[in-house]
Amino acid sequence: DQQVKQNSPSLSVQEGRISILNCDYTNSMFDYFLWYKKYPAEGPTFLISISSIKDKNEDGRFTVFLNKSAKHLSLHIVPSQPGDSAVYFCAASAYEQGGSEKLVFGKGTKLTVNP
Amino acid sequence: GAVVSQHPSRVICKSGTSVKIECRSLDFQATTMFWYRQFPKQSLMLMATSNEGSKATYEQGVEKDKFLINHASLTLSTLTVTSAHPEDSSFYICSASRTSGGLTDTQYFGPGTRLTVL
């Protein structure tokens, strides 16, 4: 049961244009969402996050939008740069009964930004 | 700052042997370390959370006797895959956090270790 889905394994965008990476989730208990970026041979690095009490969070060229009713979030990168080429993971967090925290990752979307 | 290293980066071993993977925070003290596993074309899956000086907390379905975790200091955690079998072949990645607040606190990931069990 994949609770966090990134349905596009890859995305190709021209430099300067907008990149939109999508993520869907099924567990309505998720209340915090994170995006990580991963370059080859390196571990993921935290990029941006959003709490379920918000619908938008912006940090420079990166904006995350959350649509709770649709259980959907998206990461917008504008303008896209060749250095943004990486695998982007969406992750969602919830506290389970008993107080333990759960963090679930999507499979990732490989973004290629062409010069 | 906030560099996390893993050693080895790749390991190939025979079935039945044990393999130890080290995770080090190089320039900060890691109150909490996390161990993940990623099978090909799958998500990162959290295996366990360890706090320095205490026993690791394992996720459901992860055998604690098979995947031994030791977080002996604030800069080092080790994962030992005991009696490894081919189905344990995977990409193991650790992360470290300066805080004990939980999974959504900033995690700094290591580069990962590719384990292949023949």
PDB file of all heavy atoms in Angstrom, chain B residues 38-60:
ATOM      1  N   GLN B  38      16.374   1.236   0.736  1.00  0.00           N
ATOM      2  CA  GLN B  38      15.670   1.522  -0.520  1.00  0.00           C
ATOM      3  C   GLN B  38      15.935   0.405  -1.506  1.00  0.00           C
ATOM      4  O   GLN B  38      17.072   0.202  -1.953  1.00  0.00           O
ATOM      5  CB  GLN B  38      16.134   2.860  -1.116  1.00  0.00           C
ATOM      6  CG  GLN B  38      15.358   3.257  -2.362  1.00  0.00           C
ATOM      7  CD  GLN B  38      15.831   4.577  -2.932  1.00  0.00           C
ATOM      8  OE1 GLN B  38      16.957   4.999  -2.717  1.00  0.00           O
ATOM      9  NE2 GLN B  38      14.958   5.237  -3.685  1.00  0.00           N
ATOM     10  N   PHE B  39      14.878  -0.328  -1.839  1.00  0.00           N
ATOM     11  CA  PHE B  39      14.977  -1.330  -2.884  1.00  0.00           C
ATOM     12  C   PHE B  39      14.832  -0.633  -4.233  1.00  0.00           C
ATOM     13  O   PHE B  39      14.274   0.464  -4.308  1.00  0.00           O
ATOM     14  CB  PHE B  39      13.894  -2.401  -2.700  1.00  0.00           C
ATOM     15  CG  PHE B  39      14.105  -3.257  -1.474  1.00  0.00           C
ATOM     16  CD1 PHE B  39      13.256  -3.154  -0.382  1.00  0.00           C
ATOM     17  CD2 PHE B  39      15.157  -4.161  -1.409  1.00  0.00           C
ATOM     18  CE1 PHE B  39      13.451  -3.930   0.751  1.00  0.00           C
ATOM     19  CE2 PHE B  39      15.353  -4.934  -0.277  1.00  0.00           C
ATOM     20  CZ  PHE B  39      14.500  -4.815   0.799  1.00  0.00           C
ATOM     21  N   PRO B  40      15.322  -1.279  -5.297  1.00  0.00           N
ATOM     22  CA  PRO B  40      15.262  -0.645  -6.627  1.00  0.00           C
ATOM     23  C   PRO B  40      13.851  -0.192  -6.984  1.00  0.00           C
ATOM     24  O   PRO B  40      12.882  -0.926  -6.797  1.00  0.00           O
ATOM     25  CB  PRO B  40      15.744  -1.756  -7.566  1.00  0.00           C
ATOM     26  CG  PRO B  40      16.630  -2.608  -6.722  1.00  0.00           C
ATOM     27  CD  PRO B  40      16.010  -2.579  -5.349  1.00  0.00           C
ATOM     28  N   LYS B  41      13.763   1.034  -7.433  1.00  0.00           N
ATOM     29  CA  LYS B  41      12.508   1.623  -7.879  1.00  0.00           C
ATOM     30  C   LYS B  41      11.456   1.696  -6.778  1.00  0.00           C
ATOM     31  O   LYS B  41      10.253   1.756  -7.059  1.00  0.00           O
ATOM     32  CB  LYS B  41      11.950   0.867  -9.085  1.00  0.00           C
ATOM     33  CG  LYS B  41      12.865   0.916 -10.292  1.00  0.00           C
ATOM     34  CD  LYS B  41      12.246   0.259 -11.501  1.00  0.00           C
ATOM     35  CE  LYS B  41      13.208   0.326 -12.684  1.00  0.00           C
ATOM     36  NZ  LYS B  41      12.663  -0.326 -13.891  1.00  0.00           N
ATOM     37  N   GLN B  42      11.909   1.686  -5.543  1.00  0.00           N
ATOM     38  CA  GLN B  42      10.991   1.780  -4.415  1.00  0.00           C
ATOM     39  C   GLN B  42      11.314   3.027  -3.595  1.00  0.00           C
ATOM     40  O   GLN B  42      12.318   3.700  -3.816  1.00  0.00           O
ATOM     41  CB  GLN B  42      11.082   0.538  -3.522  1.00  0.00           C
ATOM     42  CG  GLN B  42      10.696  -0.752  -4.217  1.00  0.00           C
ATOM     43  CD  GLN B  42       9.254  -0.747  -4.665  1.00  0.00           C
ATOM     44  OE1 GLN B  42       8.369  -0.318  -3.919  1.00  0.00           O
ATOM     45  NE2 GLN B  42       9.001  -1.211  -5.870  1.00  0.00           N
ATOM     46  N   SER B  43      10.449   3.314  -2.645  1.00  0.00           N
ATOM     47  CA  SER B  43      10.663   4.468  -1.776  1.00  0.00           C
ATOM     48  C   SER B  43      11.717   4.166  -0.729  1.00  0.00           C
ATOM     49  O   SER B  43      12.000   3.010  -0.436  1.00  0.00           O
ATOM     50  CB  SER B  43       9.372   4.817  -1.052  1.00  0.00           C
ATOM     51  OG  SER B  43       8.281   4.838  -1.910  1.00  0.00           O
ATOM     52  N   LEU B  44      12.260   5.230  -0.164  1.00  0.00           N
ATOM     53  CA  LEU B  44      13.061   5.084   1.040  1.00  0.00           C
ATOM     54  C   LEU B  44      12.143   4.589   2.152  1.00  0.00           C
ATOM     55  O   LEU B  44      11.085   5.158   2.382  1.00  0.00           O
ATOM     56  CB  LEU B  44      13.642   6.429   1.485  1.00  0.00           C
ATOM     57  CG  LEU B  44      14.891   6.950   0.787  1.00  0.00           C
ATOM     58  CD1 LEU B  44      15.108   8.404   1.148  1.00  0.00           C
ATOM     59  CD2 LEU B  44      16.091   6.122   1.155  1.00  0.00           C
ATOM     60  N   MET B  45      12.562   3.541   2.831  1.00  0.00           N
ATOM     61  CA  MET B  45      11.743   3.005   3.915  1.00  0.00           C
ATOM     62  C   MET B  45      12.529   3.110   5.213  1.00  0.00           C
ATOM     63  O   MET B  45      13.648   2.596   5.313  1.00  0.00           O
ATOM     64  CB  MET B  45      11.410   1.535   3.644  1.00  0.00           C
ATOM     65  CG  MET B  45      10.600   1.303   2.387  1.00  0.00           C
ATOM     66  SD  MET B  45       8.904   1.906   2.547  1.00  0.00           S
ATOM     67  CE  MET B  45       8.271   0.743   3.731  1.00  0.00           C
ATOM     68  N   LEU B  46      11.939   3.747   6.188  1.00  0.00           N
ATOM     69  CA  LEU B  46      12.603   3.867   7.484  1.00  0.00           C
ATOM     70  C   LEU B  46      12.674   2.504   8.147  1.00  0.00           C
ATOM     71  O   LEU B  46      11.675   1.795   8.241  1.00  0.00           O
ATOM     72  CB  LEU B  46      11.840   4.852   8.370  1.00  0.00           C
ATOM     73  CG  LEU B  46      12.407   5.077   9.774  1.00  0.00           C
ATOM     74  CD1 LEU B  46      13.771   5.764   9.689  1.00  0.00           C
ATOM     75  CD2 LEU B  46      11.447   5.919  10.602  1.00  0.00           C
ATOM     76  N   MET B  47      13.857   2.159   8.608  1.00  0.00           N
ATOM     77  CA  MET B  47      14.042   0.887   9.310  1.00  0.00           C
ATOM     78  C   MET B  47      14.014   1.083  10.809  1.00  0.00           C
ATOM     79  O   MET B  47      13.375   0.329  11.534  1.00  0.00           O
ATOM     80  CB  MET B  47      15.386   0.257   8.926  1.00  0.00           C
ATOM     81  CG  MET B  47      15.535  -0.079   7.460  1.00  0.00           C
ATOM     82  SD  MET B  47      17.182  -0.676   7.085  1.00  0.00           S
ATOM     83  CE  MET B  47      17.211  -2.219   7.986  1.00  0.00           C
ATOM     84  N   ALA B  48      14.761   2.102  11.260  1.00  0.00           N
ATOM     85  CA  ALA B  48      14.882   2.278  12.705  1.00  0.00           C
ATOM     86  C   ALA B  48      15.385   3.677  13.025  1.00  0.00           C
ATOM     87  O   ALA B  48      15.987   4.345  12.181  1.00  0.00           O
ATOM     88  CB  ALA B  48      15.841   1.241  13.280  1.00  0.00           C
ATOM     89  N   THR B  49      15.104   4.071  14.237  1.00  0.00           N
ATOM     90  CA  THR B  49      15.561   5.349  14.774  1.00  0.00           C
ATOM     91  C   THR B  49      16.425   5.065  15.991  1.00  0.00           C
ATOM     92  O   THR B  49      16.048   4.246  16.840  1.00  0.00           O
ATOM     93  CB  THR B  49      14.356   6.201  15.207  1.00  0.00           C
ATOM     94  OG1 THR B  49      13.504   6.403  14.086  1.00  0.00           O
ATOM     95  CG2 THR B  49      14.814   7.543  15.755  1.00  0.00           C
ATOM     96  N   SER B  50      17.572   5.706  16.056  1.00  0.00           N
ATOM     97  CA  SER B  50      18.416   5.460  17.231  1.00  0.00           C
ATOM     98  C   SER B  50      18.847   6.773  17.866  1.00  0.00           C
ATOM     99  O   SER B  50      19.177   7.734  17.176  1.00  0.00           O
ATOM    100  CB  SER B  50      19.644   4.626  16.859  1.00  0.00           C
ATOM    101  OG  SER B  50      20.601   5.375  16.151  1.00  0.00           O
ATOM    102  N   ASN B  51      18.790   6.782  19.155  1.00  0.00           N
ATOM    103  CA  ASN B  51      19.278   7.902  19.942  1.00  0.00           C
ATOM    104  C   ASN B  51      20.526   7.463  20.693  1.00  0.00           C
ATOM    105  O   ASN B  51      20.615   6.335  21.167  1.00  0.00           O
ATOM    106  CB  ASN B  51      18.219   8.371  20.934  1.00  0.00           C
ATOM    107  CG  ASN B  51      17.047   9.007  20.235  1.00  0.00           C
ATOM    108  OD1 ASN B  51      17.157  10.053  19.632  1.00  0.00           O
ATOM    109  ND2 ASN B  51      15.909   8.343  20.302  1.00  0.00           N
ATOM    110  N   GLU B  52      21.482   8.353  20.763  1.00  0.00           N
ATOM    111  CA  GLU B  52      22.766   8.021  21.381  1.00  0.00           C
ATOM    112  C   GLU B  52      22.575   7.480  22.777  1.00  0.00           C
ATOM    113  O   GLU B  52      21.869   8.075  23.597  1.00  0.00           O
ATOM    114  CB  GLU B  52      23.658   9.265  21.388  1.00  0.00           C
ATOM    115  CG  GLU B  52      25.060   9.019  21.908  1.00  0.00           C
ATOM    116  CD  GLU B  52      25.218   9.370  23.376  1.00  0.00           C
ATOM    117  OE1 GLU B  52      24.383  10.123  23.888  1.00  0.00           O
ATOM    118  OE2 GLU B  52      26.180   8.894  23.994  1.00  0.00           O
ATOM    119  N   GLY B  53      23.159   6.305  22.997  1.00  0.00           N
ATOM    120  CA  GLY B  53      23.141   5.714  24.323  1.00  0.00           C
ATOM    121  C   GLY B  53      21.913   4.919  24.666  1.00  0.00           C
ATOM    122  O   GLY B  53      21.830   4.362  25.762  1.00  0.00           O
ATOM    123  N   SER B  54      20.961   4.849  23.764  1.00  0.00           N
ATOM    124  CA  SER B  54      19.767   4.054  24.068  1.00  0.00           C
ATOM    125  C   SER B  54      19.479   3.076  22.937  1.00  0.00           C
ATOM    126  O   SER B  54      20.064   3.175  21.860  1.00  0.00           O
ATOM    127  CB  SER B  54      18.557   4.951  24.329  1.00  0.00           C
ATOM    128  OG  SER B  54      18.299   5.756  23.219  1.00  0.00           O
ATOM    129  N   LYS B  55      18.589   2.162  23.199  1.00  0.00           N
ATOM    130  CA  LYS B  55      18.265   1.144  22.187  1.00  0.00           C
ATOM    131  C   LYS B  55      17.512   1.768  21.027  1.00  0.00           C
ATOM    132  O   LYS B  55      16.722   2.693  21.201  1.00  0.00           O
ATOM    133  CB  LYS B  55      17.405   0.049  22.820  1.00  0.00           C
ATOM    134  CG  LYS B  55      18.168  -0.881  23.756  1.00  0.00           C
ATOM    135  CD  LYS B  55      17.264  -2.001  24.248  1.00  0.00           C
ATOM    136  CE  LYS B  55      18.034  -2.943  25.165  1.00  0.00           C
ATOM    137  NZ  LYS B  55      17.172  -4.038  25.675  1.00  0.00           N
ATOM    138  N   ALA B  56      17.748   1.206  19.869  1.00  0.00           N
ATOM    139  CA  ALA B  56      17.071   1.705  18.675  1.00  0.00           C
ATOM    140  C   ALA B  56      15.600   1.322  18.687  1.00  0.00           C
ATOM    141  O   ALA B  56      15.210   0.300  19.258  1.00  0.00           O
ATOM    142  CB  ALA B  56      17.750   1.152  17.425  1.00  0.00           C
ATOM    143  N   THR B  57      14.813   2.149  18.048  1.00  0.00           N
ATOM    144  CA  THR B  57      13.387   1.863  17.866  1.00  0.00           C
ATOM    145  C   THR B  57      13.184   1.406  16.432  1.00  0.00           C
ATOM    146  O   THR B  57      13.469   2.149  15.495  1.00  0.00           O
ATOM    147  CB  THR B  57      12.539   3.123  18.125  1.00  0.00           C
ATOM    148  OG1 THR B  57      12.798   3.594  19.441  1.00  0.00           O
ATOM    149  CG2 THR B  57      11.066   2.797  17.972  1.00  0.00           C
ATOM    150  N   TYR B  58      12.688   0.191  16.279  1.00  0.00           N
ATOM    151  CA  TYR B  58      12.545  -0.394  14.956  1.00  0.00           C
ATOM    152  C   TYR B  58      11.123  -0.207  14.425  1.00  0.00           C
ATOM    153  O   TYR B  58      10.151  -0.257  15.169  1.00  0.00           O
ATOM    154  CB  TYR B  58      12.875  -1.886  14.997  1.00  0.00           C
ATOM    155  CG  TYR B  58      14.351  -2.157  15.222  1.00  0.00           C
ATOM    156  CD1 TYR B  58      14.905  -2.094  16.500  1.00  0.00           C
ATOM    157  CD2 TYR B  58      15.184  -2.459  14.153  1.00  0.00           C
ATOM    158  CE1 TYR B  58      16.260  -2.326  16.706  1.00  0.00           C
ATOM    159  CE2 TYR B  58      16.539  -2.701  14.350  1.00  0.00           C
ATOM    160  CZ  TYR B  58      17.066  -2.628  15.629  1.00  0.00           C
ATOM    161  OH  TYR B  58      18.413  -2.855  15.823  1.00  0.00           O
ATOM    162  N   GLU B  59      11.037  -0.027  13.114  1.00  0.00           N
ATOM    163  CA  GLU B  59       9.737   0.059  12.470  1.00  0.00           C
ATOM    164  C   GLU B  59       9.135  -1.338  12.362  1.00  0.00           C
ATOM    165  O   GLU B  59       9.840  -2.353  12.384  1.00  0.00           O
ATOM    166  CB  GLU B  59       9.876   0.681  11.084  1.00  0.00           C
ATOM    167  CG  GLU B  59      10.351   2.121  11.115  1.00  0.00           C
ATOM    168  CD  GLU B  59       9.406   3.039  11.855  1.00  0.00           C
ATOM    169  OE1 GLU B  59       8.237   3.151  11.425  1.00  0.00           O
ATOM    170  OE2 GLU B  59       9.828   3.645  12.867  1.00  0.00           O
ATOM    171  N   GLN B  60       7.841  -1.345  12.230  1.00  0.00           N
ATOM    172  CA  GLN B  60       7.129  -2.620  12.114  1.00  0.00           C
ATOM    173  C   GLN B  60       7.653  -3.399  10.913  1.00  0.00           C
ATOM    174  O   GLN B  60       7.840  -2.836   9.821  1.00  0.00           O
ATOM    175  CB  GLN B  60       5.632  -2.339  11.936  1.00  0.00           C
ATOM    176  CG  GLN B  60       4.747  -3.539  12.155  1.00  0.00           C
ATOM    177  CD  GLN B  60       3.276  -3.161  12.157  1.00  0.00           C
ATOM    178  OE1 GLN B  60       2.895  -2.049  11.788  1.00  0.00           O
ATOM    179  NE2 GLN B  60       2.436  -4.080  12.584  1.00  0.00           N
TER     180      GLN B  60
END
